Amino acid sequence: VKENGRNHFRFFAPEMNQRASRILEMESALRNALARNEFELYYQPKIDLFSGALVGAEALIRWQHPEMGQIQPIQFIPFAEESGMILPIGEWVLNEACKQAKKWHEKLPISVAVNLSALQFRQDNIVEIITAALQNAQLDGKYLELELTESVVVQNLDAAIVYLKRLKQLGVTLAMDDFGTGYSSLSYLKQFPFDTLKIDRSFIQNVITEPNDAMIAIAIINMAHSMRLNVVAEGVETESQMHFLHRQNCDQIQGYYFSKPLTAIAFDEFINKTRQ
Ligand code: C2E
Ligand code: CA
Ligand code: CA
Ligand code: CA
């Protein structure tokens, strides 16, 4: 502790002590959860608004805790990021999602989207990790989409562009997640090799009742299309929201209106239903 100087003393200040030990506790809990295979991926369908076809799924992690039951990502992903456990957990997610997509391909060639956190994105060997996940699953890169939030890419603009281009070389597609909640500067959006833009749920929620939110949604859709980006609206819960988005030429929707995130088994049944 001492030889590392001032930063460590600050780290062990009394008020920090509790927080630090909480993170350490969570770190070992997350490590155990991974070893015991307690994580599970749920999949939420993405529907093409014009054909009505099921075109993809977003993989969303859950922790099935033996005593506490199901724990949502909001409750553990922040700790996983702070402790660094997001790296092995994220690698598990990538492998699991690719394997699952490959299985579904016997029925339907859908793509699967995986959320990538900042720490993962900045990993030196992220390209190797994704390459290995695709290879293990024998999945063509074009069926894997990586969802990154604005905050992940704006932290270090020049480096981010280099990293994103390296990822694109694997054939994967890139989606900007939660668009509208962060910096949302259109000028740098165009420097990045994104394929898809996901409009955040907070705009979709009030798109029928709040003219301002409707205007923002319309502006985002038009701007994205002028940049040749595919547009996905997340958090679509009602038929009128869906109709609005259809009228505005939004490409795809995701939300409770069509389906909540499903277990792999339930998603498989969803595929069967849409093919009947
Ligand atoms: P996100 O990437 O914005 O994912 C969408 C969230 O909105 C999901 O919450 C989904 O269940 C929820 N959602 C979808 N449709 C609706 C709707 O119609 N209404 C409402 N109210 N909610 C809807 P979830 O699964 O709890 O995930 C929360 C966040 O946790 C995600 O937000 C993502 O940032 C993060 N996350 C989830 N899985 C992973 C993962 O494997 N890795 C990483 N790094 N982050 C993850
Ligand atoms: Ca997402
Ligand atoms: Ca969101
Ligand atoms: Ca997100």
Side-chain angles (χ1 to χ4, degrees):
V1 170
K2 268 180 199 153
E3 58 263 34
N4 283 326
R6 271 161 64 194
N7 289 335
H8 270 82
F9 283 110
R10 222 185 283 145
F11 184 72
F12 282 110
E15 71 275 13
M16 286 298 284
N17 213 347
Q18 229 176 5
R19 183 177 156 69
S21 66
R22 178 95 201 276
I23 292 171
L24 283 177
E25 231 171 79
M26 273 300 282
E27 180 183 344
S28 86
L30 291 168
R31 198 182 300 282
N32 285 334
L34 195 57
R36 293 176 192 152
N37 212 11
E38 290 170 5
F39 293 113
E40 184 174 357
L41 291 184
Y42 275 51
Y43 299 88
Q44 188 174 35
K46 288 186 190 176
I47 309 290
D48 185 280
L49 266 179
F50 293 89
S51 61
L54 172 65
V55 288
E58 179 177 2
L60 295 157
I61 197 169
R62 306 286 181 262
W63 179 1
Q64 310 292 353
H65 194 281
E67 282 123 42
M68 289 187 278
Q70 188 173 85
I71 306 177
Q72 302 305 311
I74 287 284
Q75 293 167 279
F76 66 90
I77 290 289
F79 288 101
E81 283 170 345
E82 266 185 277
S83 64
M85 278 303 290
I86 194 66
L87 300 182
I89 293 171
E91 191 172 346
W92 176 84
V93 170
L94 280 162
N95 278 284
E96 185 71 15
C98 289
K99 277 190 277 184
Q100 193 58 67
K102 183 68 179 188
K103 278 188 210 157
W104 286 328
H105 280 197
E106 289 166 19
K107 294 178 183 172
L108 200 68
I110 58 165
S111 85
V112 65
V114 166
N115 291 286
L116 219 59
S117 75
L119 207 59
Q120 277 180 286
F121 178 59
R122 286 197 298 264
Q123 241 177 321
D124 289 330
N125 58 345
I126 185 64
V127 171
E128 286 76 14
I129 287 170
I130 294 169
T131 305
L134 291 170
Q135 259 164 15
N136 286 341
Q138 297 284 301
L139 185 73
D140 189 322
K142 71 179 179 193
Y143 295 113
L144 176 66
E145 183 154 75
L146 303 172
E147 296 193 1
L148 298 106
T149 60
E150 292 165 82
S151 58
V152 171
V153 293
V154 297
Q155 277 168 17
N156 189 345
L157 278 186
D158 295 335
I161 292 170
V162 172
Y163 271 79
L164 290 171
K165 286 185 176 156
R166 283 171 62 199
L167 291 179
K168 282 288 294 194
Q169 280 166 357
L170 302 176
V172 303
T173 58
L174 302 177
M176 167 143 288
D177 205 0
D178 297 340
F179 190 79
T181 58
Y183 307 81
S184 306
S185 166
L186 312 179
S187 59
Y188 51 64
L189 185 61
K190 94 180 164 220
Q191 305 172 40
F192 296 125
F194 280 100
D195 304 280
T196 297
L197 189 156
K198 295 188 80 174
I199 308 176
D200 192 63
R201 180 163 66 86
S202 57
F203 297 107
I204 304 306
Q205 217 168 15
N206 305 316
V207 91
I208 301 302
T209 52
E210 295 286 332
N212 282 339
D213 285 357
M215 260 156 39
I216 291 170
I218 292 169
I220 293 175
I221 293 167
N222 292 336
M223 177 272 305
H225 280 160
S226 74
M227 290 164 63
R228 295 165 190 258
L229 294 169
N230 179 45
V231 187
V232 181
E234 64 173 34
V236 177
E237 294 184 352
T238 68
E239 189 176 16
S240 45
Q241 289 168 349
M242 181 196 63
H243 284 315
F244 170 87
L245 292 161
H246 185 261
R247 276 198 306 279
Q248 301 306 328
N249 292 322
C250 181
D251 301 290
Q252 290 159 14
I253 59 170
Q254 187 185 337
Y256 294 172
Y257 178 67
F258 268 103
S259 173
K260 292 200 168 187
L262 304 168
T263 62
I265 291 170
F267 192 92
D268 198 69
E269 284 160 12
F270 190 90
I271 293 178
N272 294 339
K273 257 190 282 168
T274 64
R275 290 169 83 233
Q276 270 162 21

